[in-house]
Amino acid sequence: MDILALNCGSSSVKYQLFDWKRREVIAKGMVERVTVGDSFIVHEVPGRETYREEYECPSHETAIHLIIKILADAEHGVVKEIDEISAVGHRVVHGGEKFTRSVMIDEDVLAGIKEVQHLAPLHNPPNIAGIEAARSVLPDVPHVAIFDTAFHQTMPEHAYTYPLPHEWYTKYGVRRYGFHGTSHAYVSHRAAEILQKPFNELKLVTCHLGNGSSITAVDCGKSVDTSLGFGTVPGVLMGTRSGEVDPTLVLYLMDKENLDTKLMSHILHKESGILGISGISSDLRDVEEAAEQGNQRAKLALDMLCYGVRKHIGAYAAAMGGIDAIVFTAGIGENSSTVRKMVVEGLEFLGADVDPEKNNVRGKERIISTDGAKVSVVVVPTNEELVIARDTKELIKV
Ligand code: ADP
């Protein structure tokens, strides 16, 4: 039984096809420049050379047609007939308060996703376009929605409410939602398995550190706080997003620099964070290299990132009344031994300590804390597509 996991962005469609019996990815790829012109697909099948084809995709529908065509292609494909695809799982960025878990898509669900799209105006519309396109290309199979926000719907009211006039909560849905939920859910489950402890008894802090980053407190299997909020700017500094800033400073700068909301939003999302501080790049590899060569601003960006993550771990340990393990994932968390070391240095008082030899690892599951440390530190590569496929399989019950 094959399950297709789809992730539709505004100008890209990423896909992975799973052979669910073998829990294996049999093909994956991405259509880029969808709706913008000069689109192309990059298609990978394990053990074969990567295939690339230029193909004009003026809509998400053409992009999904192209994906299906290539998956069933005699030369580049992996299935004989398209009906070997039994179900499609769709990543949806925002589920508001409406969706607290993955759901089978029907007309009501689609209407519900549209109802909350004002909360993620850049992300939900392409997700919806992808669902509509995939349902028209594959009308006879079940489609399932998996929400980035759903895992965080267990946060208590005192953690998700903003200290603003309360009527704005009811009027506009103003509250902390959090993101990267599928990643936090996946790595927290895996960490429990790796540590051979019951998931429902562990206090974990999961650090998803990539271009976008968020830290989550997972208390006995539930997200109880997370660093991203109503939007995707708060928390620790990210590739180009600022992380937490004093809101009065935003108002002050808009005044001083004569910036409208659109420009200010662009600066907070695209010109701040690691890029804004280092002045070099949003890519941490470049910044680590420059810091090593003595660049002070690169060093400052690195120090700010690690300090921010450490502060969140401390806060969440306090929020949960203890901590059993710290989990690192995503591009930076999985690969940067420097960041992991710098984050955990200073957390010895909690009982966390990293073994430098074990910490010398990239992109692999490993416990990197010293033997006998009270708080375990674990690296777990994230796998959001696997969660999409797994939830899809569970919901279609075949
Ligand atoms: P996204 O949020 O776009 O999914 P990723 O999870 O792929 O991002 O993370 C991208 C980040 O991971 C970049 O800042 C990149 O520099 C960083 N990264 C990837 N590999 C390494 C590495 N070997 N060392 C340090 N940072 C790395």
Side-chain angles (χ1 to χ4, degrees):
M1 164 187 198
D2 297 342
I3 296 175
L4 181 63
L6 281 182
N7 182 354
C8 290
S10 56
S11 63
S12 71
V13 180
K14 291 186 198 150
Y15 63 95
Q16 288 198 7
L17 187 66
F18 287 83
D19 173 339
W20 197 249
K21 267 205 200 105
R22 291 188 286 147
R23 301 286 191 282
E24 260 174 31
V25 175
I26 50 176
K28 66 174 183 178
M30 167 141 107
V31 188
E32 291 194 57
R33 302 190 55 83
V34 179
T35 72
V36 289
D38 298 330
S39 26
F40 60 92
I41 186 167
V42 177
H43 174 74
E44 294 172 42
V45 175
R48 294 191 206 158
E49 226 168 80
T50 301
Y51 174 70
R52 186 188 150 109
E53 182 179 331
E54 319 287 322
Y55 193 100
E56 230 23 78
C57 292
S59 68
H60 286 81
E61 194 166 335
T62 32
I64 292 171
H65 261 298
L66 173 63
I67 292 168
I68 301 296
K69 173 178 98 73
I70 291 199
L71 286 173
D73 184 74
E75 192 182 347
H76 305 290
V78 287
V79 296
K80 280 201 191 75
E81 299 291 340
I82 216 52
D83 59 14
E84 286 176 35
I85 299 174
S86 314
V88 184
H90 296 263
R91 175 180 182 229
V92 179
V93 166
H94 217 305
E97 287 185 323
K98 217 178 170 79
F99 298 105
T100 57
R101 55 175 61 86
S102 303
V103 289
M104 189 88 91
I105 299 172
D106 58 16
E107 293 313 317
D108 283 350
V109 166
L110 198 52
I113 301 172
K114 285 181 183 168
E115 233 170 74
V116 297
Q117 71 177 338
H118 66 101
L119 297 169
L122 296 179
H123 294 101
N124 271 31
N127 296 159
I128 293 165
I131 292 173
E132 286 176 335
R135 285 176 95 207
S136 83
V137 177
L138 294 168
D140 300 324
V141 302
H143 291 254
V144 169
I146 291 88
F147 300 91
D148 267 10
T149 48
F151 183 60
H152 301 301
Q153 278 296 306
T154 47
M155 279 188 286
E157 200 176 2
H158 61 255
Y160 71 67
T161 306
Y162 285 117
L164 292 166
H166 199 257
E167 60 268 24
W168 286 348
Y169 168 60
T170 26
K171 203 167 168 189
Y172 303 117
V174 166
R175 54 160 286 175
R176 181 184 301 278
Y177 288 99
F179 298 90
H180 303 132
T182 40
S183 176
H184 289 291
Y186 174 78
V187 301
S188 53
H189 271 101
R190 272 307 292 153
E193 284 166 8
I194 293 165
L195 295 168
Q196 301 182 338
K197 301 249 173 74
F199 181 51
N200 292 340
E201 290 173 18
L202 282 176
K203 294 179 187 300
L204 305 169
V205 177
T206 49
C207 307
H208 176 110
L209 309 176
N211 277 322
S213 299
S214 64
I215 325 287
T216 295
V218 184
D219 192 359
C220 299
K222 288 186 175 145
S223 167
V224 292
D225 208 344
T226 190
S227 63
L228 289 178
F230 177 77
T232 54
V233 161
V236 295
L237 93 165
M238 299 168 232
T240 58
R241 290 180 240 157
S242 64
E244 188 203 335
V245 281
D246 177 349
T248 60
L249 182 56
V250 174
L251 301 175
Y252 172 86
L253 288 169
M254 286 175 80
D255 247 7
K256 281 280 175 210
E257 297 267 313
N258 202 15
L259 302 170
D260 60 13
T261 48
K262 207 169 162 203
L263 256 174
M264 190 70 222
S265 171
H266 177 82
I267 292 168
L268 288 170
H269 284 89
K270 300 281 181 203
E271 293 185 13
S272 302
I274 294 172
L275 173 66
I277 294 297
S278 70
I280 293 171
S281 165
S282 63
D283 190 310
L284 194 80
R285 283 167 289 204
D286 303 336
V287 173
E288 276 187 5
E289 203 182 306
E292 259 167 43
Q293 288 162 4
N295 183 303
Q296 282 310 304
R297 277 175 56 187
K299 193 172 168 317
L300 176 61
L302 194 56
D303 284 344
M304 286 171 72
L305 170 67
C306 298
Y307 175 65
V309 177
R310 192 183 325 130
K311 241 182 14 176
H312 274 85
I313 295 172
Y316 290 164
M320 294 189 288
I323 178 170
D324 297 305
I326 300 163
V327 186
F328 285 101
T329 194
I332 296 171
E334 291 165 25
N335 292 300
S336 174
S337 50
T338 307
V339 167
R340 293 189 300 249
K341 169 174 166 278
M342 286 172 67
V343 167
V344 179
E345 258 169 12
L347 291 176
E348 290 85 359
F349 77 100
L350 281 177
D353 199 7
V354 159
D355 179 321
E357 235 168 73
K358 293 180 188 163
N359 188 29
N360 192 10
V361 64
R362 277 188 207 289
K364 275 200 207 114
E365 290 185 348
R366 186 183 285 179
I367 300 172
I368 59 166
S369 36
T370 48
D371 293 338
K374 194 167 148 262
V375 175
S376 306
V377 183
V378 194
V379 177
V380 183
T382 194
N383 196 339
E384 292 163 281
E385 289 76 16
L386 184 67
V387 178
I388 295 176
R390 189 177 62 200
D391 281 14
T392 304
K393 168 72 181 70
E394 273 168 21
L395 278 162
I396 61 172
K397 294 191 194 88
V398 283

